[in-house]
Amino acid sequence: MRLRKMYILGAWVIINCLCLIRAELYTAITDLEDLLDTEAMFMETLNRYIQREEKKLERLKRKAEEYKKEHSLASADVSEYLSNPINAYLLVKRLTTDWTTTESLMTDQTALDDAQHNFTEIKRFMKFPTDEDLTGAAAALIRLQDTYNMDTSSLAQGELMGVKYTTQLSASDCFELGRQSYNSLDYRHTVLWMTEALARQEAETRLSSNKTETPKWEILEYLAYSTYMEGDVKSALDMTNELLQIYPDHERAQGNKVYYLKALEKKTDSVNTGENVTEGHKEEKEIQDAPLGKGPTERELYEMACRGNLTPPVEITSQLTCYYSSSSPFARLARLKVEEAYPKPRILLFRDVMYDSEIEIIKRLATPRLRRATVQNFKTGQLETANYRISKSAWLNEEDDPIVSRVSRRVEDMTGLTTKTAEELQVVNYGIGGHYEPHLDFARKEETNAFKSLGTGNRIATVLFYMSDVAQGGATVFPGLQLALWPQKGTAAVWMNLLANGNGDFSTRHAACPVLAGSKWVSNKWLHELGQEILRPCSLDPSE
Ligand SMILES: *[C@@H]1O[C@H](CO)[C@@H](O)[C@H](O)[C@H]1NC(C)=O
Ligand SMILES: *[C@@H]1O[C@H](CO)[C@@H](O)[C@H](O)[C@H]1NC(C)=O
Ligand SMILES: *[C@@H]1O[C@H](CO)[C@@H](O)[C@H](O)[C@H]1NC(C)=O
């Protein structure tokens, strides 16, 4: 057993060393799977440590029994016992060498040192999350809460948009989410999560499980300050008073109390003098966010579409058809099943165009190469990471595997366009809350540096293969079209990014909604303008 594990640790060293340069494990589910292996090794080390300490305690107990037996024998009749020279010798020996051995057994830390050393090794050689991962994972949960409009208490009870999962959040889990929000100066979510932490803590204490690790006063401290920052001075004061009842000597709370009292006094004055009041802040913001009759913002449309609350008008959906494609000899043979998802811009769904066996191979090829996805800075043309795109991606070349060229041929059959000037196949895995906010695939006129190095012109078309189903969330949405495409394994979505005259089609602005449950895999093929002239002659009519 031990040998096998050592071997596994050795193997990890080779496989993983290179991937450890950047952590960002939270950005893809495949990386999180590896964390379970890390946890398993931690557990094994802990168990081995416990066993060794237990053995040590057993030996100490046996020693104690021996001493007790001898000692009571001696105490029964001290002079009789010590009149025996052997007993006299043994007493002296016990107190010198024996007790020294016992003491060194007691203070022996080799088991602890060994365990600590192994923990360090595991952290070095196995995938291990950083503080950045914790922040990222917390931000992802909060993003999901906002996008899918989920209330804190249901979320803490493991309910995701009406679906009940078994995992629940404890008071200290909620506290941690609140603390993370607080550190990002997000007081609104701090209040939500700390309130939940308080409720959970009270429930946990009632059940007398005594499992709560976070003291109530600490929750109250965060809650009071964030409540104040959100503009509710009165409640902040009440919470601080409650805190001081539990912990009268808390210095910061005493200071804050004075401060809140002053703020309250000032507020009463300022109502009369017409000065700005902190409390008005929140309401103002709510009014700003409201549509005010101007129609919803893109953000609101995006979130509504992600939640499945938005569909294109009936005038549009009633025009949509399904058919078998016959655009190429292959398509006629294979009878590609095509569904129109939108008429203009034309968005097509090709059903069953990627087989499960192909998907498995593509995922296997891509997994070791997955890196945090980047976006292009349109001024410099440089690639950089961004919070609005959270996923991991890898590029596959046609030389990597015959499957990759087979996918290119299929793209040609589907679109009637050439893939000679296309980019490599991009494979993407989205983790918890992984998303890509509304964006365009083509480069705009001012983005002169985009795709320059490729020398193949702009991205004329996008082919997006869904390589997994997604249990909840993860739709591809076109906010402007009120359209949501729900991932279905083996389906590909296809649209043209450029109008026939070569100008970009801004109605193709789309986004990947945060994944709520499941692991989302997709792959993209972006086709470029060069080489398509005969296949799709350009038109000078700007309306086309
Ligand atoms: C630490 O690792 C070594 C080598 O893999 C192993 O022999 C030892 O039992 C481990 N100790 C603990 C406490 O896990
Ligand atoms: C929980 O803690 C309280 C007070 O500290 C104590 O009275 C109670 O016995 C504990 N309950 C359990 C189950 O340990
Ligand atoms: C009013 O608002 C301004 C700007 O936000 C701030 O600098 C000022 O201190 C505020 N006055 C009071 C009395 O809160």
Side-chain angles (χ1 to χ4, degrees), residues 57 98 103 113 191 213 268 286 301 387 437 513 532:
L57 282 177
D98 278 14
E103 195 183 329
D113 293 346
V191 170
E213 294 131 43
T268 341
E286 270 163 20
L301 286 172
N387 282 337
E437 289 187 7
C513 299
Q532 319 290 6

Side-chain angles (χ1 to χ4, degrees), residues 244-301:
L244 285 168
Q245 264 178 10
I246 308 171
Y247 190 164
D249 298 334
H250 195 292
E251 276 180 29
R252 220 174 14 240
Q254 287 167 343
N256 283 349
K257 181 176 173 173
V258 175
Y259 183 80
Y260 295 152
L261 278 170
K262 265 200 200 125
L264 273 177
E265 256 170 48
K266 229 196 238 153
K267 208 183 74 176
T268 341
D269 292 348
S270 64
V271 170
N272 304 327
T273 57
E275 266 186 87
N276 47 356
V277 183
T278 339
E279 207 175 27
H281 194 66
K282 201 174 155 195
E283 281 163 34
E284 228 173 77
K285 215 166 88 194
E286 270 163 20
I287 294 165
Q288 265 177 15
D289 284 347
L292 284 175
K294 273 189 296 189
T297 60
E298 182 183 55
R299 173 103 225 148
E300 287 162 339
L301 286 172

Side-chain angles (χ1 to χ4, degrees), residues 414-461:
M414 287 155 62
T415 59
L417 299 171
T418 179
T419 57
K420 280 205 186 72
T421 53
E423 289 166 64
E424 294 181 349
L425 186 69
Q426 189 194 41
V427 183
V428 186
N429 181 227
Y430 290 90
I432 336 165
H435 71 146
Y436 192 176
E437 289 187 7
H439 63 279
L440 293 161
D441 281 353
F442 60 86
R444 276 154 291 174
K445 287 230 165 65
E446 63 272 23
E447 296 171 332
T448 43
N449 276 317
F451 311 132
K452 200 174 172 184
S453 57
L454 299 176
T456 52
N458 212 340
R459 278 180 182 161
I460 190 170

